[in-house]
Amino acid sequence: MHKLIPIAACALALVAFRLSPSSSPVSVTDSTTLPDPNTTDETPKDNKLVIYQLLPRLFGNKKAVNKTHGTSAENGTGKFNDITAPALQALRRMGVSHVWYTGIIEHATMADFTKYGIPLDDADVVKGRAGSPYAIKDYYDVDPDLAVDVQNRMREFEALVKRTHDNQLKLIIDFIPNHVARTYTSDAKPAGVVDLGQKDDKTKAFAPQNNFYYLPGKTLVVPKANNPLGAALGPKEDKKFNETPAKATGNDVFSAEPKIDDWFETIKLNYGVDYQQGRKSHFEPVPDTWKKMRDILIFWAKKDVDGFRCDVAEMVPVEFWAWVIPEVKKVKPSLVFIAEAYDPKVYKRYIEQGKFDFLYDKVGLYDGLRRLMRGEGNTEDITKVWKEESRGISSHMLRFLENHDEQRIASPEFATDPRTAIPALTVSATLASGPVMVYMGQEVGEPAKGVAGFNTGDGRTTIFDYWGVPEHQKWMNGGKFDGGRLSAEQRQLRGFYSRLLNLAASSDAIRRGRFYELQDANNLSQSYDQKHVYSYLRYTDKQKLLVVVNFSRDQTLKPTIAIPKEAQVAMGLDPQQQSTYTDLLNQAPATDNLSLNLAPLSAYVFEISPKK
């Protein structure tokens, strides 16, 4: 980051606000009988959660050694206790309402906790020295790496839950329903719980009441190309793993020889779908796996968590979700369920039938904004999202620009310049009334440099290795969480995030307002570069907002924004009366015209009020 973030300012031209010339010929009959193509008939729901994703292993780590394949002693690891009240208060001040704690449940690892009664894992089926948080080893336990006192690790997690709530925040944890670690065994399960696979008939490839899928007569062959720790040897590493009969691999691979790019460290759970017989379903009687997963969710609900982010939810039958979510909400009705989802064709099914509260909007809005941030896209990608992909369900779509699966904005593999988030995140946070999410370090431009180990330096912050997050550590400032080591550019960037997220969290129009796109009203104007400029209205009876963003990296654009008569009437404004516009995002003085001076990579949120 070599440049200061441009201060968003509007050139106050000496011209009066004008209506769109194209708006006046529309007849009363047309406007009342034909649907307006610039909006939808969706009634927005107030679902404006502001979620902050963090990995405790990374979040509280103060060490900056970052040795490739380094141990926890060498590279350090964050603990539950490092997520202190000052840290949580700082997130709350940034506008956050929910913290997604990633990697809470115990997973396979190369770390040795045998002195605490935890079996040692085999490095041949572990990804990274720290291990993948998505290869669950015990659904009823927490990651011992995250505890100062390993014997009391669950108490430390429970204290974090209380601390989170005491600081007026709610918490979400992962639920990984599709697969578990190949070494899965629960040593912390409550009395009476039968372990996964314990009663399976292993002579059958598929049985409706089995928990796993089997390959009878075959032994697992781990990928020969797997080299867990480079030149060093991991625990039990010998290119072998004793699994006979072999089980199907997590990403639906029904082979005893999964490839290096498969999820070879995991085994697929059986929800009553016979994949090798045309995906024939066997849901009656209720499969045993359904009941076990329900009990696990209820276990964590009783720990007072507030929601679950459900990993690869589309790989689990929607019928299971339709059954289990209402079951778990009987215990805690306020729980939220978020689906990691990637297939727009089934979005509505997972909301309406599957009962999910929210779905990832990755394939739609994220992908479109990513192209714009890289200088490769067009604002028509945004139009397609609200008009088609999320039409009618926008309040249920979780928007984001980063998470643990995606590349960092500031990385060369994505956009390099973290300021590209200014217009993109503004759209993510204000386009609809659904949740918006930020990933730890995103708000200070973390670029994810370095080769951590299993993570080879691809623009993602590793979730598999012990590692420090350098730019985040500057904000953490040795545990003060005051941003004391941030550069001026980083402070400006984080200031933008804070203003935007607080505005999104508090604005009536953003939380529950209707939407009206202004591209059609402005695209005939020579001053309106519709490839880079995107504008729309959000409005309720209480508040009317105009959002304008400029995705261009190097051009200052000077459009005069036209708001058509139909939109003004819809907002409850008198088209014959002039309005004033106050930029809430940049805290700028009010103006009575919309001849704007849009700096490169800028965003504006104007509150519209009748001129007095």
Side-chain angles (χ1 to χ4, degrees):
M1 291 171 287
H2 303 294
K3 300 178 183 177
L4 290 174
I5 298 169
I7 298 174
C10 298
L12 307 183
L14 300 177
V15 295
F17 167 73
R18 60 182 176 82
L19 296 177
S20 167
S22 62
S23 65
S24 54
V26 178
S27 69
V28 174
T29 302
D30 288 338
S31 64
T32 57
T33 61
L34 296 178
D36 191 326
N38 300 296
T39 188
T40 74
D41 58 2
E42 179 181 352
T43 300
K45 299 176 184 177
D46 183 0
N47 290 334
K48 189 54 72 180
L49 282 57
V50 179
I51 302 171
Y52 188 90
Q53 182 192 6
L54 65 86
L55 279 77
R57 182 199 295 160
L58 301 178
F59 183 84
N61 185 17
K62 301 179 183 68
K63 285 196 174 184
V65 176
N66 284 1
K67 173 186 174 182
T68 302
H69 295 301
T71 65
S72 60
E74 292 168 325
N75 283 354
T77 184
K79 306 290 185 182
F80 293 130
N81 292 355
D82 292 320
I83 307 170
T84 60
L88 295 167
Q89 289 165 12
L91 295 180
R92 183 70 180 146
R93 287 194 298 272
M94 196 169 70
V96 172
S97 63
H98 290 65
V99 184
W100 167 16
Y101 294 122
T102 303
I104 295 297
I105 301 177
E106 184 184 349
H107 57 267
T109 178
M110 295 189 205
D112 186 349
F113 292 103
T114 52
K115 68 180 179 179
Y116 301 103
I118 300 172
L120 187 66
D121 292 310
D122 189 321
D124 288 305
V125 286
V126 178
K127 288 181 176 177
R129 189 181 284 277
S132 168
Y134 295 95
I136 298 302
K137 181 177 176 179
D138 187 347
Y139 276 121
Y140 288 101
D141 207 350
V142 295
D143 179 7
D145 254 332
L146 303 180
V148 175
D149 180 358
V150 175
Q151 293 284 34
N152 289 308
R153 56 192 178 275
M154 186 60 80
R155 290 182 189 174
E156 290 187 21
F157 171 70
E158 290 166 350
L160 174 61
V161 173
K162 183 178 185 301
R163 192 160 58 250
T164 303
H165 288 154
D166 287 347
N167 285 279
Q168 291 76 55
L169 289 162
K170 295 185 177 182
L171 68 146
I172 295 164
I173 68 169
D174 289 283
F175 173 56
I176 298 88
N178 176 69
H179 50 268
V180 294
R182 292 206 178 264
T183 53
Y184 185 90
T185 180
S186 178
D187 49 34
K189 60 184 181 292
V193 172
V194 177
D195 228 353
L196 286 166
Q198 188 173 327
K199 293 187 175 181
D200 281 6
D201 182 349
K202 299 179 182 179
T203 66
K204 295 180 179 179
F206 169 81
Q209 297 301 320
N210 275 0
N211 298 136
F212 300 123
Y213 297 94
Y214 296 91
L215 302 165
K218 296 184 179 179
T219 298
L220 179 74
V221 179
V222 297
K224 293 291 189 292
N226 187 34
N227 186 16
L229 295 178
L233 281 179
K236 302 183 181 180
E237 183 182 350
D238 58 4
K239 302 297 181 185
K240 299 176 184 178
F241 181 70
N242 184 19
E243 184 179 285
T244 306
K247 302 181 184 76
T249 292
N251 58 322
D252 297 353
V253 173
F254 290 79
S255 166
E257 300 186 28
K259 303 295 188 292
I260 189 67
D261 292 332
D262 290 323
W263 304 348
F264 65 85
E265 81 282 18
T266 68
I267 46 181
K268 173 84 173 176
L269 283 166
N270 171 10
Y271 283 82
V273 179
D274 190 347
Y275 285 82
Q276 295 179 294
Q277 298 297 324
R279 294 178 176 253
K280 186 177 179 181
S281 59
H282 301 262
F283 300 152
E284 294 183 8
V286 173
D288 184 68
T289 302
W290 290 28
K291 297 174 185 177
K292 283 185 165 59
M293 294 296 107
R294 174 200 58 194
D295 294 345
I296 289 161
L297 284 164
I298 289 174
F299 172 84
W300 291 103
K302 288 183 176 179
K303 294 289 183 188
D304 208 18
V305 305
D306 301 294
F308 299 95
R309 177 269 188 189
C310 301
D311 190 62
V312 291
E314 292 166 321
M315 296 183 76
V316 173
V318 71
E319 291 84 357
F320 164 72
W321 299 114
W323 176 82
V324 79
I325 290 176
E327 286 284 300
V328 180
K329 287 192 175 185
K330 289 176 185 176
V331 175
K332 188 172 182 179
S334 62
L335 284 167
V336 296
F337 281 79
I338 301 169
E340 180 191 17
Y342 299 105
D343 184 359
K345 294 190 296 294
V346 298
Y347 281 174
K348 287 189 178 180
R349 189 178 178 207
Y350 273 76
I351 293 169
E352 294 168 2
Q353 180 185 350
K355 308 298 183 184
F356 272 101
D357 297 290
F358 308 113
L359 310 182
Y360 269 32
D361 194 350
K362 193 274 181 193
V363 173
L365 192 62
Y366 169 87
D367 284 351
L369 291 175
R370 178 185 170 99
R371 288 189 290 270
L372 279 161
M373 294 165 75
R374 289 169 57 86
E376 301 165 352
N378 192 298
T379 59
E380 290 176 1
D381 290 341
I382 305 173
T383 302
K384 181 179 179 181
V385 169
W386 72 258
K387 269 195 174 183
E388 300 175 22
E389 290 180 353
S390 64
R391 190 179 187 95
I393 56 170
S394 68
S395 298
H396 297 277
M397 303 308 293
L398 168 64
R399 271 69 192 256
F400 57 85
L401 298 180
E402 285 190 2
N403 63 44
H404 69 275
D405 283 320
E406 308 301 341
Q407 291 170 324
R408 292 288 194 172
I409 297 165
S411 70
E413 292 83 0
F414 188 161
T416 306
D417 188 345
R419 298 176 307 159
T420 58
I422 292 173
L425 188 68
T426 301
V427 172
S428 285
T430 69
L431 188 71
S433 60
V436 61
M437 184 170 73
V438 173
Y439 184 37
M440 56 167 285
Q442 175 184 340
E443 73 277 22
V444 292
E446 170 59 41
K449 294 179 180 177
V451 176
F454 181 82
N455 182 285
T456 56
D458 59 357
R460 295 172 175 84
T461 294
T462 183
I463 65 170
F464 305 96
D465 309 279
Y466 297 108
W467 201 247
V469 186
E471 304 311 312
H472 164 74
Q473 289 175 334
K474 292 177 182 177
W475 171 70
M476 184 169 54
N477 193 21
K480 295 179 182 178
F481 298 97
D482 61 0
R485 293 168 50 208
L486 296 177
S487 67
E489 294 94 331
Q490 288 174 313
R491 286 194 294 272
Q492 285 194 28
L493 183 67
R494 195 174 188 279
F496 156 75
Y497 274 80
S498 183
R499 292 194 306 277
L500 175 64
L501 297 178
N502 275 289
L503 178 60
S506 61
S507 163
D508 190 67
I510 295 171
R511 292 190 69 97
R512 55 181 64 84
R514 291 188 176 273
F515 168 86
Y516 194 101
E517 188 185 80
L518 296 176
Q519 298 301 88
D520 280 354
N522 289 275
N523 62 14
L524 295 180
S525 169
Q526 290 184 346
S527 66
Y528 192 92
D529 178 357
Q530 64 174 332
K531 180 179 179 181
H532 295 110
V533 177
Y534 190 70
S535 60
Y536 50 95
L537 303 165
R538 296 292 311 282
Y539 61 92
T540 64
D541 290 342
K542 295 180 180 179
Q543 188 181 43
K544 296 89 170 74
L545 298 180
L546 164 65
V547 181
V548 186
V549 298
N550 177 14
F551 285 97
S552 175
R553 290 189 178 215
D554 52 19
Q555 291 185 347
T556 295
L557 302 174
K558 300 181 179 182
T560 297
I561 304 296
I563 302 178
K565 178 180 177 181
E566 294 86 347
Q568 294 185 69
V569 171
M571 287 191 291
L573 296 175
D574 181 355
Q576 304 305 316
Q577 184 179 8
Q578 282 194 319
S579 297
T580 59
Y581 309 92
T582 305
D583 184 0
L584 303 180
L585 181 56
N586 302 295
Q587 300 166 341
T591 178
D592 60 0
N593 74 80
L594 288 175
S595 291
L596 306 180
N597 192 3
L598 308 181
L601 300 177
S602 61
Y604 311 80
V605 180
F606 296 102
E607 185 167 32
I608 307 171
S609 306
K611 186 174 182 180
K612 297 180 181 179

